[in-house]
Amino acid sequence: MLYHLYDLQQTMLSPVRLAAETVQHVFSHPMMPMSYTRIGRAMAAGAEMVERATRRYGKPQFGLARTTVDGADVAVREEIVLSKPFCDLLHFARETPAERDDPKVLVVAPMSGHYATLLRGTVEGLLPHHDVFITDWMNAAHVSLVDGVFDLDAYVDYLIEFLGFLGPETHVVAVCQPSVPVLAAVALMSADAPDTAPRSMTLMGGPIDTRVNPTRVNKLAAEKPLEWFERAVVQNVPPGYQGFMRRVYPGFIQLSGFMSMNLDRHVGSALKQFNHLVRGDGENAHNHREFYDEYLSVMDLDAEFYLQTVRIAFQEHALPRGTWVSRDRPVDTKAIRTTALLTVEGELDDISGVGQTYAAHALCAGLPADKHRHWLQPKVGHYGIFNGKRWKTEILPQVRDFIRDNR
C-alpha cells in the first residue's frame, strides 16, 4: 500500500513540478529583465529547488566517452557483453591497439539502493590502466515475476558466471556490500575448480565481519528480528511496472533512510545551493546538481535478496563464522589459495567500520603471506574510499599496483 501511495503522491505533484519548472525558466531567461535582479534570481532558485525536490530521478548515465591512455586521448564505448534478468555485464571498451594487454578488471557494484553509476569515479580512475567491466544491476521493479526471485545465492551465482565468462586472468574489485558475495563466489570457485578463480580480489569498505567495530547500521540490523524488516520495508510493486506484484525493498524507502542518517548535512547543502543559485555561483551549483542527481537516483531491490543479506551478513555472520551454505555448497574461504587479496578501508567509514573488511585476511588462511595486502586510508568516510580526490591520488595507486603485481 505504501508503494501505491508513493506513486499517487508523485502523480499529484506533477502539476507543482511543471509549474515550478515554468517559473524557473521564466525568471532565468536572458530576455527577462527580472532575471538580472536579486528577486528574479531568488524566484528562479526557489523554483529550481521545488522542481528538483518533486522530481522522480531515473537511472543516470555513466557518460565516460573518453579516457587517457599513455598520454593519448582515447574513445570509450559502452557495450553489454552478457545480459541476465537482474544484471547486465557492461564493458567499457577502449579504442586502443589490439596488442595492448592491460589487466582485465571486473568492478562489482553494490546492490544497495543506488545504481552502478555511483561508481562512475571508480571506473573513470581504472580506465587508463585497465580493461574494465562492471555489474550493471537492474531495478527490481522493472523485472517481471516470470524471471523468478533474486536472492543472495543468485547474486553469488551471477558473479561466478561473470567471472567464468571473463576468464581466470580477471581481477575483481568489490565496493561495499558485494564484498561478501564476491568473497563467497571466489571461495566456491576455488573449491570447485581452482584454475577458474580470478587472479586477485580487492574488497573495499565491505561488511565481511560486522561484529568488528559495529556501526549504527550494523547494530540496527543485528537488533531487529528479520520479521521486523519484512513488515517495515517490504512492499509489492504496484501496477504500471514490468515487475508488478514483485516483493521489493523500494528505492524511495532506502533513500529516506540514507537522508535521515545525515539530515542536517543535506538540509545545509540545500540552503547552500539556494545561495549559490541566487549569487550566480555556477560551478558550485553544478557540482551540487551533479552529486544529487546521482544520490537521489535509487532503485528497488528484490525483497528476497535484501532479507537474505540482512540474515546472512548482519545477523548470523555466516561468512566469518564459516556456516554459510549457498545452494548446498559450503562456503569455505580457506579454499582460496591463489587469488591475491587486497582490503581497503576508510578511517572515518560510518557504514562499514574499520576492521570489518580487514577481517577477510584471517578468513583466507590458505593464502600465502605475499598474497595479502591491506590499505587503511586516513581521513575518508565510506564514499571517499571509491570516489573523490583521495580515491584518485592515494587509493587508486594502491589498487593499480596490487593488480599489476598479481597478473
Side-chain angles (χ1 to χ4, degrees), residues 24-337:
Q24 177 192 353
H25 286 317
V26 168
F27 284 93
S28 60
H29 196 281
M31 297 299 290
M32 177 69 169
M34 279 195 70
S35 68
Y36 298 96
T37 68
R38 185 174 182 83
I39 293 177
R41 292 196 299 269
M43 290 286 290
E48 178 176 330
M49 301 298 287
V50 171
E51 187 276 325
R52 292 181 63 83
T54 56
R55 181 194 306 177
R56 179 176 288 189
Y57 290 79
K59 182 181 179 181
Q61 300 295 315
F62 276 99
L64 300 174
R66 311 200 71 80
T67 189
T68 302
V69 179
D70 292 338
D73 184 62
V74 172
V76 177
R77 183 183 71 260
E78 292 181 25
E79 57 182 10
I80 297 172
V81 295
L82 188 61
S83 187
K84 304 282 289 180
F86 286 88
C87 187
D88 286 334
L89 182 59
L90 190 62
H91 181 212
F92 296 90
R94 305 168 303 168
E95 294 186 2
T96 54
E99 64 272 12
R100 188 175 181 89
D101 185 29
D102 284 333
K104 188 183 298 182
V105 174
L106 170 62
V107 178
V108 182
M111 183 185 273
S112 54
H114 286 103
Y115 290 94
T117 50
L118 188 69
L119 303 189
R120 184 184 293 104
T122 314
V123 174
E124 184 179 28
L126 290 168
L127 273 174
H129 302 280
H130 306 88
D131 187 17
V132 183
F133 299 76
I134 195 169
T135 56
D136 191 14
W137 301 105
M138 302 295 182
N139 186 335
H142 300 155
V143 182
S144 172
L145 275 178
V146 300
D147 291 311
V149 299
F150 184 85
D151 57 13
L152 185 58
D153 292 322
Y155 194 121
V156 173
D157 291 343
Y158 270 40
L159 295 181
I160 292 174
E161 182 174 351
F162 291 159
L163 288 168
F165 175 81
L166 294 176
E169 71 279 6
T170 305
H171 304 261
V172 59
V173 176
V175 179
C176 186
Q177 166 267 323
S179 294
V180 172
V182 163
L183 186 54
V186 174
L188 291 170
M189 295 176 77
S190 299
D192 293 342
D195 292 343
T196 67
R199 297 280 174 82
S200 77
M201 59 177 163
T202 299
L203 311 180
M204 306 176 66
I208 299 298
D209 190 348
T210 58
R211 298 172 298 177
V212 179
N213 193 18
T215 63
R216 184 172 59 167
V217 175
N218 305 150
K219 292 175 181 176
L220 174 65
E223 290 169 358
K224 300 288 187 181
L226 197 63
E227 293 76 15
W228 181 89
F229 290 98
E230 189 165 11
R231 289 195 308 268
V233 303
V234 172
Q235 301 285 316
N236 288 327
V237 176
Y241 296 84
Q242 190 172 353
F244 172 52
M245 289 305 293
R246 178 178 293 281
R247 288 187 353 127
V248 297
Y249 177 17
F252 68 88
I253 296 181
Q254 298 170 69
L255 181 60
S256 66
F258 299 151
M259 300 288 282
S260 65
M261 287 181 63
N262 296 286
L263 186 58
D264 54 342
R265 184 185 304 172
H266 293 299
V267 171
S269 180
L271 292 173
K272 288 181 182 177
Q273 174 69 351
F274 179 82
N275 290 328
H276 292 325
L277 293 169
V278 173
R279 290 197 304 265
D281 186 351
E283 182 176 354
N284 281 322
H286 172 76
N287 292 339
H288 175 96
R289 293 190 194 102
E290 195 172 58
F291 174 81
Y292 278 98
D293 281 352
E294 189 71 55
Y295 189 81
L296 298 175
S297 299
V298 289
M299 64 180 189
D300 299 349
L301 309 182
D302 190 289
E304 302 308 317
F305 166 77
Y306 171 72
L307 294 172
Q308 192 184 14
T309 299
V310 171
R311 178 173 62 83
I312 293 290
F314 297 96
Q315 295 185 344
E316 297 179 356
H317 311 288
L319 182 61
R321 292 175 60 212
T323 59
W324 188 2
V325 178
S326 177
R327 302 203 194 284
D328 298 323
R329 303 167 297 182
V331 178
D332 181 10
T333 53
K334 295 188 294 295
I336 302 173
R337 300 184 180 278

